[in-house]
Amino acid sequence: MRAFQVTSHEKAPQIAEIPAPTPKAGEVLLDIAACGLNFADLLMSKGTYQDTPALPFTLGMEVCGTVIAQGPGVTSPAIGARVVVFGGAGGLADQGVFPAGRCILVPDTLSSAAAAGFMIAYGTSHLALSRRAQLQPGETLLVLGAAGGVGLTAVEIGKAMGATVIAVARGADKLQAARDAGADHLIDSTAADLKSAVKALGGADVVYDPVGGDQFNAALGACNPEARVLAIGFASGDVPQVPANILLVKNISVIGFYWGGYLKFNPAALTQSLQTLLAWQVEGRLNPHISDEFPLSQAADALELLRSRKSIGKVVVTP
């Protein structure tokens, strides 16, 4: 079968022909229909991600596919079931083996492409906003990178939780996507003094930041007393250094959040969150946005689109 593999952190990943895997105890074999890409895939290919597998490995953290074989002791999900699963790696391939216990049945309301891009983006925003930041109805949520894969979901979920949402993105097309997702106020990151613009709108009670860099610093300066700043990621490539004196004077909290970490210390929190999100999607409260779909043969192009930060919503590869 084909797999998009990393064989060296100094070389670009390549399509390789490898033997089809066989599920072991506790695993299922999926015929992969779609794989959602994440910024972590870029870091993993360079060996700088916190959970980078040993070489060689196949990229692709989250997948949707059909169960075609069960390992010893596995009775669920059934053969023929369409499921979504966070595997951490192995998704950019024709087939893959994944833990059966992590598989979640996909409702008929979700296409395979949308399901493949659902878990990490929506799961990150929901658990970060509800569990870590404890966003309350009526508060103001500032979303940086609001047209990206996780940013759009933060806008949607923030609105679903009753917040007023300020979306920051680059250019008219990305701002329109944020408006379509429910944003109340829009700020162009290339044209505005971000700190002044947010303060003119009343300041931020919660900041959702997958960008880092200068935008983090500007957002910190626009925080209201007792604001919570969520450090989601650093797509800018600049990890900000937090001035503790500002935290002290304004009683601000900076909160780290890593969705995948919950698999190790509280997987039940992830499961409960995803069940809530899938119920919201069935009810029509969430509308997953797929920016682009690529065949497996163009997985390198898909990653480059993600690296360039030109996508709006999720980028998905469909083997």
Side-chain angles (χ1 to χ4, degrees):
M1 70 170 195
R2 299 172 302 161
F4 190 60
Q5 287 212 312
V6 178
T7 58
S8 168
H9 296 307
E10 285 71 47
K11 297 180 181 179
Q14 298 287 335
I15 297 288
E17 291 286 339
I18 65 173
T22 300
K24 300 176 182 177
E27 295 180 335
V28 292
L29 175 64
L30 298 187
D31 187 37
I32 297 173
C35 175
L37 296 190
N38 295 275
F39 190 75
D41 290 307
L42 297 172
L43 301 178
M44 203 177 288
S45 69
K46 298 296 184 182
T48 58
Y49 190 60
Q50 56 262 31
D51 285 331
T52 299
L55 295 169
F57 66 91
T58 301
L59 285 171
M61 303 178 75
E62 54 180 341
V63 303
C64 179
T66 301
V67 178
I68 55 175
Q70 299 167 319
V74 175
T75 58
S76 178
I79 291 176
R82 189 168 67 112
V83 300
V84 66
V85 59
F86 174 79
L92 287 174
D94 291 314
Q95 298 178 357
V97 290
F98 303 97
R102 293 188 194 170
C103 293
I104 298 175
L105 294 176
V106 178
D108 293 338
T109 53
L110 269 180
S111 68
S112 293
F118 190 89
M119 293 184 74
I120 294 177
Y122 279 101
T124 293
S125 293
H126 181 253
L127 210 58
L129 291 173
S130 64
R131 184 184 181 92
R132 299 290 283 141
Q134 298 185 29
L135 178 67
Q136 300 300 309
E139 289 191 313
T140 296
L141 168 66
L142 174 63
V143 181
L144 307 180
V150 293
L152 274 180
T153 66
V155 173
E156 272 193 286
I157 291 172
K159 288 302 296 181
M161 294 176 66
T164 296
V165 178
I166 303 172
V168 179
R170 179 179 299 180
D173 290 345
K174 290 188 174 184
L175 289 171
Q176 184 59 50
R179 184 185 295 280
D180 292 343
D184 299 285
H185 305 287
L186 306 174
I187 300 175
D188 192 320
S189 62
T190 63
D193 177 344
L194 179 57
K195 177 180 175 180
S196 297
V198 174
K199 291 182 75 171
L201 294 170
D205 301 307
V206 174
V207 177
Y208 184 97
D209 179 21
V211 178
D214 291 340
Q215 289 193 31
F216 175 95
N217 296 326
L220 191 65
C223 281
N224 294 327
E226 293 193 329
R228 290 86 73 201
V229 181
L230 287 160
I232 303 296
F234 314 106
S236 68
D238 182 356
V239 179
Q241 304 302 302
V242 182
N245 61 314
I246 294 179
L247 307 184
L248 182 152
V249 171
K250 298 181 74 173
N251 290 287
I252 296 172
S253 300
V254 176
I255 303 169
F257 182 81
Y258 169 41
W259 185 84
Y262 279 82
L263 287 168
K264 298 177 181 178
F265 67 86
N266 192 353
L270 291 186
T271 301
Q272 292 163 7
S273 171
L274 288 169
Q275 288 172 341
T276 297
L277 290 166
L278 287 172
W280 284 2
Q281 195 279 327
V282 170
E283 294 167 4
R285 299 172 67 184
L286 302 177
N287 182 31
H289 186 100
I290 303 300
S291 168
D292 297 270
E293 293 185 34
F294 291 81
L296 185 60
S297 60
Q298 296 178 20
D301 295 328
L303 279 178
E304 182 54 37
L305 180 63
L306 198 66
R307 182 182 289 108
S308 71
R309 298 173 61 189
K310 293 180 181 178
S311 58
I312 299 175
K314 288 288 289 192
V315 178
V316 174
V317 172
T318 52

